[in-house]
Amino acid sequence: MPKLSVIVPFCNVRQYAPDTLRSLRANARPDFEFVLVDDHSEDETPAILERAAEELSGVAQVRHIRHAKNEGIATARNTGLDAARGEYLAFLDGDDWLAPGHLPELVASIERLGCDFVRTDHVRVTGRARTVHRVPVGLRDEVLDPRDAILPADRTTSVDYVTVWAGVYHRRLLERGLLHFTEGLHTAEDRPWTWKLHREAESFAVVGLLGVFYRRDVASSLTRIGDVRQLDFIRAFDQIVEETAADRDAGRLLPKAVRQYCAIMAHHLAEEDKFEPAVAGRLREMSAAALGRLPQDVLGEVLATMDMERSARLRRLRRRTGAGKGTA
């Protein structure tokens, strides 16, 4: 069994894949496994991966998988999880990179702490600018209860830090069904995944490692493309609310889930000009329907405590469409 499996999905990232692959080489060990998943790239990415898989096989264990059709990042990560054999698992995206020696330090940290998963800070790269983004948890190098890190509802917490690749996870989470992503989600796939992990894992910790570099505003990223795939956030948050409503602590946790849903919805509505006109209309329609599906008592409390601009935007949409009338 490899000590660590790193799952790396790629899709049309020929400009960035060489940096990603070089960083894997700078972190390689014979007991590390790199699972490279090509999600049916249509540029030069497949050829780059073929060459890299051969080169990396001299310093680490490598598995190279290619999808017959484009499935989206959630399914690509699931493909990697199904193939991974490591005692520990980590993720990296095909346009990001790691500092040399980061993975060995990551494994050492989770072995030292003995918890289910470890989260780390990361560096956000926008053009030439670099900024450090920290896990919103104050205690470092201490084993904590993931459920306790969900709240409070009105503050940024660990379930808002949806950086799947900024951490490492014990294989027992995979065996418990906690590491697979909702199939087919093209965006917001990390949202229900993060909530599930915090509701159902038993222990986690935050460590002060700073070795993941995340490229922001990549032209091919779905966050920059205003097509219908962006609307997958509705499906993702419907799942969060449904699963949280069935949780034993639903009364405490639902306000956080609904508040997060409303915040993301308001964000997309504020930027609807970036969408194609038909998609913008669909966004308003689906958002109104989503407001009507939410538990109305919790929604009312959330809107009353949100900032005026976002609250007013959601209230207008709710009134215009009659969302929430007669719903429980």
Side-chain angles (χ1 to χ4, degrees):
M1 175 186 288
K3 175 63 69 175
L4 173 72
S5 293
V6 185
I7 294 142
V8 195
F10 296 83
C11 186
N12 298 328
V13 286
R14 63 181 175 84
Q15 181 180 355
Y16 307 111
D19 288 343
T20 305
L21 294 161
R22 278 193 292 269
S23 79
L24 290 178
R25 187 178 183 89
N27 279 271
R29 282 188 352 196
D31 60 342
F32 284 4
E33 175 184 60
F34 300 139
V35 185
L36 313 178
V37 183
D38 178 16
D39 191 23
H40 198 71
S41 297
E42 296 180 339
D43 61 0
E44 290 78 24
T45 300
I48 293 171
L49 292 181
E50 286 179 12
R51 291 193 299 270
E54 184 176 348
E55 294 170 1
L56 285 171
S57 63
V59 291
Q61 301 173 49
V62 180
R63 312 195 82 176
H64 179 204
I65 305 165
R66 177 169 167 79
H67 282 172
K69 63 178 182 178
N70 183 264
E71 303 276 5
I73 191 168
T75 301
R77 285 176 178 157
N78 287 345
T79 295
L81 286 169
D82 291 339
R85 299 169 296 164
E87 179 182 356
Y88 299 102
L89 301 109
F91 300 91
L92 182 66
D93 284 353
D95 50 9
D96 300 334
W97 77 94
L98 303 170
H102 176 69
L103 293 179
E105 290 186 77
L106 199 57
V107 170
S109 69
I110 194 169
E111 290 192 315
R112 171 172 52 84
L113 291 161
C115 52
D116 283 343
F117 67 98
V118 163
R119 305 306 307 275
T120 73
D121 306 323
H122 70 278
V123 179
R124 180 174 294 180
V125 180
T126 307
R128 294 185 177 181
R130 299 186 180 189
T131 55
V132 174
H133 288 254
R134 302 196 180 279
V135 186
V137 174
L139 293 173
R140 301 291 168 113
D141 294 294
E142 185 172 330
V143 178
L144 306 170
D145 185 337
R147 182 174 287 260
D148 292 341
I150 295 174
L151 299 174
D154 60 348
R155 292 180 58 185
T156 300
T157 68
S158 195
V159 290
D160 297 297
Y161 191 77
V162 290
T163 49
V164 169
W165 29 259
V168 62
Y169 312 90
H170 197 284
R171 187 173 190 85
R172 58 179 170 259
L173 296 176
L174 179 64
E175 294 168 350
R176 289 180 55 196
L178 300 185
L179 291 187
H180 278 82
F181 296 80
T182 302
E183 285 286 329
L185 286 179
H186 289 82
T187 58
E189 80 291 336
D190 42 15
R191 298 282 180 171
W193 186 91
T194 301
W195 270 86
K196 179 172 62 175
L197 199 61
H198 276 273
R199 284 194 315 265
E200 301 187 32
E202 296 177 0
S203 59
F204 88 117
V206 178
V207 298
L209 296 178
L210 197 61
V212 185
F213 292 81
Y214 161 60
R215 291 188 198 270
R216 182 74 172 172
D217 294 335
V218 173
S220 60
S221 170
L222 282 180
T223 59
R224 295 286 303 278
I225 300 172
D227 69 15
V228 71
R229 290 172 293 181
Q230 283 270 26
L231 304 187
D232 277 1
F233 84 91
I234 297 281
R235 181 182 164 205
F237 275 99
D238 279 351
Q239 179 184 341
I240 292 170
V241 170
E242 179 181 356
E243 292 175 349
T244 304
D247 188 88
R248 67 180 186 271
D249 289 327
R252 293 195 312 118
L253 301 182
L254 259 180
K256 175 65 177 180
V258 171
R259 187 181 186 89
Q260 194 182 65
Y261 197 169
C262 287
I264 298 298
M265 189 184 301
H267 167 76
H268 283 293
L269 289 166
E271 296 189 344
E272 66 177 64
D273 288 348
K274 76 178 181 181
F275 292 100
E276 301 161 3
V279 178
R282 184 69 176 146
L283 168 65
R284 292 189 295 272
E285 176 186 335
M286 292 178 67
S287 296
L291 290 172
R293 287 192 300 271
L294 291 172
Q296 297 301 298
D297 55 340
V298 178
L299 176 60
E301 293 172 4
V302 166
L303 293 178
T305 56
M306 288 183 75
D307 64 88
M308 187 175 298
E309 182 178 351
R310 292 186 299 174
S311 177
R313 180 173 290 112
L314 295 177
R315 288 180 190 276
R316 285 195 300 270
L317 182 63
R318 194 181 181 205
R319 285 195 301 267
R320 188 184 311 136
T321 61
K325 288 184 179 180
T327 58

